[in-house]
Amino acid sequence: DGGITQSPKYLFRKEGQNVTLSCEQNLNHDAMYWYRQDPGQGLRLIYYSQIVNDFQKGDIAEGYSVSREKKESFPLTVTSAQKNPTAFYLCASRGGLGQGGRATHFGDGTRLSIL
Amino acid sequence: DQQVKQNSPSLSVQEGRISILNCDYTNSMFDYFLWYKKYPAEGPTFLISISSIKDKNEDGRFTVFLNKSAKHLSLHIVPSQPGDSAVYFCAALNTGNQFYFGTGTSLTVIP
């Protein structure tokens, strides 16, 4: 079945450490996204990529970095510069009109906590 | 600046009754609207969508209504079931395909 896989499901970060969250999709979607969800808040866009080797900052990109070397993969690195990284992170992908419509599909998320 | 707003953070409904979740938006450039359902510790799941050229779209127990003049959309679930208890997000796409989410409404269906 096609879908989006995020790993790990739970991740712990020590102070001053960078951690990378994995996101892989086999939906052949061009666009991929990273969102952050905090308790009582909506989804906030961190980074997005419309095509391989290109990505754009979202609303809260500071302290994060991404890469898009392959269409299927869009890893997110939470750097030590991100002072409040504890949150639920969601990866998403979306096809164009010819790729199954404009609905965005989500992975099951990674919960990141600080040790 | 929150361009998509869900002003009710929570809603409780009796099983079998209708659940109505509301969403308001400010940007007239939005041309496609979606509703997602989210369980704790899971990613949102796409439920139903509507294009701005329509005012209603129905899929089983779920119906989305769009009132463009009021910049308002709503999701109706009838009859409501306990398994519908989740957080519901509305989302909007503009013509540039930029995606905006509401803050979510937590629905509890009481058996």
Side-chain angles (χ1 to χ4, degrees):
Chain A
D1 280 356
I4 301 175
T5 302
Q6 287 186 242
S7 62
K9 197 167 181 67
Y10 300 96
L11 187 59
F12 297 92
R13 195 191 89 169
K14 295 178 183 177
E15 294 286 345
Q17 186 181 44
N18 293 354
V19 291
T20 298
L21 286 62
S22 169
C23 177
E24 304 278 331
Q25 55 101 357
N26 60 5
L27 299 165
N28 197 35
H29 285 169
D30 287 320
M32 295 187 73
Y33 306 80
W34 275 104
Y35 292 92
R36 168 179 172 145
Q37 186 184 23
D38 293 282
Q41 294 195 33
L43 301 176
R44 293 185 291 167
L45 181 64
I46 305 172
Y47 266 98
Y48 65 100
S49 168
Q50 305 271 36
I51 197 167
V52 174
N53 291 324
D54 186 55
F55 49 82
Q56 307 294 331
K57 291 182 178 179
D59 300 319
I60 54 166
E62 186 175 349
Y64 299 98
S65 66
V66 293
S67 63
R68 187 84 187 278
E69 297 175 3
K70 297 187 299 182
K71 188 176 187 177
E72 304 80 22
S73 179
F74 191 41
L76 173 74
T77 296
V78 184
T79 74
S80 57
Q82 171 49 244
K83 298 306 178 190
N84 185 23
T86 298
F88 188 61
Y89 290 87
L90 283 161
C91 178
S93 74
R94 177 156 55 90
L97 288 176
Q99 292 183 307
R102 296 171 74 182
T104 292
H105 299 264
F106 288 86
D108 281 339
T110 294
R111 183 163 297 282
L112 176 63
S113 302
I114 296 297
L115 287 176
Chain B
D1 179 29
Q2 191 74 26
Q3 297 192 42
V4 179
K5 299 178 184 178
Q6 293 174 257
N7 292 319
S8 298
S10 63
L11 174 69
S12 290
V13 171
Q14 208 72 32
E15 181 179 3
R17 298 289 189 98
I18 184 171
S19 296
I20 300 176
L21 296 99
N22 293 305
C23 180
D24 297 293
Y25 61 95
T26 57
N27 191 338
S28 57
M29 297 301 289
F30 290 144
D31 69 342
Y32 198 76
F33 303 89
L34 309 95
W35 283 95
Y36 286 84
K37 175 180 179 179
K38 184 182 180 303
Y39 293 116
E42 291 184 13
T45 304
F46 169 71
L47 264 180
I48 192 168
S49 63
I50 188 167
S51 166
S52 61
I53 62 173
K54 296 186 175 181
D55 54 19
K56 177 182 175 182
N57 188 26
E58 195 171 350
D59 183 3
R61 296 186 298 115
F62 301 92
T63 303
V64 55
F65 294 93
L66 176 62
N67 183 336
K68 280 184 293 184
S69 60
K71 293 192 177 67
H72 177 84
L73 69 155
S74 60
L75 175 68
H76 293 209
I77 306 172
V78 56
S80 301
Q81 299 173 354
D84 295 331
S85 297
V87 177
Y88 289 79
F89 290 96
C90 71
L93 278 168
N94 63 16
T95 51
N97 267 349
Q98 289 178 298
F99 216 91
Y100 296 84
F101 278 96
T103 51
T105 296
S106 178
L107 173 67
T108 302
V109 180
I110 304 163

